[in-house]
Amino acid sequence: ENLKLNYYEKQAIMGGLLGDLHCRKTATSKNARLEGGHGLKQEQYAWYKMFLLKRLKFKARVSDINILYQSRTFPCLNKYYNMFYGSSKKTITYEILDSLGPFGLFIWYMDDGHYQKKGKNVKLHTNGFSFTEQELIQTWFEKRLNIFPRIQNTKDNKNYPGKVWHYLSFPLTETHKLFSLFKGFAIPECMDYKFPSFIFTKSPVSGALFAHN
């Protein structure tokens, strides 16, 4: 079955693959599938993503600690496998970032973003990518969205001596610019901790909130 994906499906995939989602292709299959997982505190968010992509026919398995989900294989997913995994490891390119719209960015933020209530600013945990990719992401935010994040580093000398990770930090003004892009999107209630209270209101849909300015 060769689905023709709509805009929101494409964006959910793009944002998800920049975050926690994975695209797999086995030696015995000519087509790719999507896979993901979340802790039980984010189970509602996992179902939210599966609902957005329900035409991909996910199967989910819930355990005492997490929820894992996997789609069926589809020819339309080969494009995303080739785009992200051309070098076998998940890699970010400017082409990928330029395919990202506000809804895709919204999904990416819910996957990897963190709102710091004390400083009222955002971190985007891009530490799975190389420093060169961090610079690429930073440049894309600046040129395409007029948002100016900073590349910060963090260490864990106790568990990983000598290891340095990088992530993007958004100062207060840039955080407001980022959240302004999410206006009108439904926020699963289990993810409301990632957003300041002033940007969402209750949705008519049970279990969701709507972002607003």
Side-chain angles (χ1 to χ4, degrees), residues 19 52 65 67 74 78 82 96 104 119-121 178-179 194 211:
L52 289 174
I65 59 172
I67 176 171
F74 288 91
N78 291 338
N82 294 331
I96 288 172
K120 298 181 180 180
N121 66 319
L178 179 67
F179 284 145
K194 293 201 174 198

Side-chain angles (χ1 to χ4, degrees), residues 3-16 21 34 49-56 76-77 80 103-104 107:
L3 294 178
K4 188 172 183 179
L5 300 172
N6 64 39
Y7 171 80
Y8 285 100
E9 289 169 332
K10 292 176 182 177
Q11 288 297 307
I13 292 170
M14 293 295 297
L21 205 59
L34 297 177
K49 289 203 283 190
M50 284 186 275
F51 177 77
L52 289 174
L53 298 168
K54 59 186 176 183
R55 294 200 299 154
L56 297 181
C76 62
L77 296 178
Y80 299 97
F103 188 69
I107 296 295

Side-chain angles (χ1 to χ4, degrees), residues 7-22 34-35 38 45 48-49 52-53 69 80 83-84 90 92 96-97 99-113 124-126 129 140 182:
Y7 171 80
Y8 285 100
E9 289 169 332
K10 292 176 182 177
Q11 288 297 307
I13 292 170
M14 293 295 297
L17 287 172
L18 282 162
D20 297 330
L21 205 59
H22 299 279
L34 297 177
E35 298 175 349
H38 293 281
Y45 179 53
Y48 165 87
K49 289 203 283 190
L52 289 174
L53 298 168
Y69 50 98
Y80 299 97
M83 187 182 294
F84 280 85
K90 186 188 281 190
I92 303 306
I96 288 172
L97 295 169
S99 299
L100 197 66
F103 188 69
L105 183 57
F106 176 65
I107 296 295
W108 185 15
Y109 173 74
M110 286 197 290
D111 273 17
D112 286 347
L124 189 60
H125 292 284
T126 50
F129 302 125
W140 178 78
F182 303 154

Side-chain angles (χ1 to χ4, degrees), residues 2 5 8 21 25 34 36 45-47 54 61 63 78 98-99 131 140-141 144-145 148-149 159 161 167 180 193 202:
N2 192 13
L5 300 172
Y8 285 100
L21 205 59
K25 198 172 184 181
L34 297 177
Y45 179 53
W47 290 112
K54 59 186 176 183
R61 185 173 75 251
S63 72
N78 291 338
D98 251 5
S99 299
F131 185 76
W140 178 78
F141 269 105
R144 293 300 184 206
L145 301 175
F148 297 86
N159 297 308
Y167 63 90
S180 73
Y193 69 96
K202 286 284 183 181

